[in-house]
């Protein structure tokens, strides 16, 4: 987050509520083949963000057992 306290947002519950309202995110991951990103619909359930991409999507083979970064903007 931005270092200015006016932008400080530390409540996981509030962040998940925001994610749920926006419902779309950029999902980023990296592999030995380089970085990948996809814009996908998301759901928030049980305190986790869930998403789905088609098997034919180039990112699909690079998601298993990898960390992802999710970027949500309104």
């Amino acid at each position: 987050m931005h270092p200015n306290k006016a932008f400080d947002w530390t409540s996981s519950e509030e962040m998940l509520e925001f994610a749920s309202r926006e419902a779309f995110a950029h999902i980023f991951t990296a592999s030995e083949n380089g970085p990948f990103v996809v814009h996908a619909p998301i759901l928030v359930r049980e305190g986790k963000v869930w998403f789905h991409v088609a098997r034919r999507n180039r990112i699909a083979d690079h998601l298993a057992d990898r960390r992802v970064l999710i970027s949500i903007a309104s």
Side-chain angles (χ1 to χ4, degrees):
M1 289 294 172
H2 194 281
N4 185 319
K5 291 292 183 192
F7 300 100
D8 193 15
W9 197 10
T10 58
S11 169
S12 294
E13 185 175 308
E14 288 179 7
M15 287 185 245
L16 289 172
E17 286 175 17
F18 172 77
S20 182
R21 281 192 314 270
E22 294 305 316
F24 271 89
H26 287 100
I27 315 294
F28 297 85
T29 194
S31 75
E32 57 280 350
N33 297 323
F36 290 89
V37 63
V38 65
H39 191 227
I42 59 172
L43 294 172
V44 176
R45 292 191 177 152
E46 301 173 4
K48 295 180 182 181
V49 176
W50 295 80
F51 65 93
H52 170 79
V53 295
R55 279 187 221 145
R56 291 179 57 191
N57 192 305
R58 292 179 356 123
I59 198 174
D61 292 335
H62 304 282
L63 292 170
D65 301 320
R66 296 193 191 266
R67 290 181 180 235
V68 298
L69 172 72
I70 298 176
S71 174
I72 303 166
S74 59

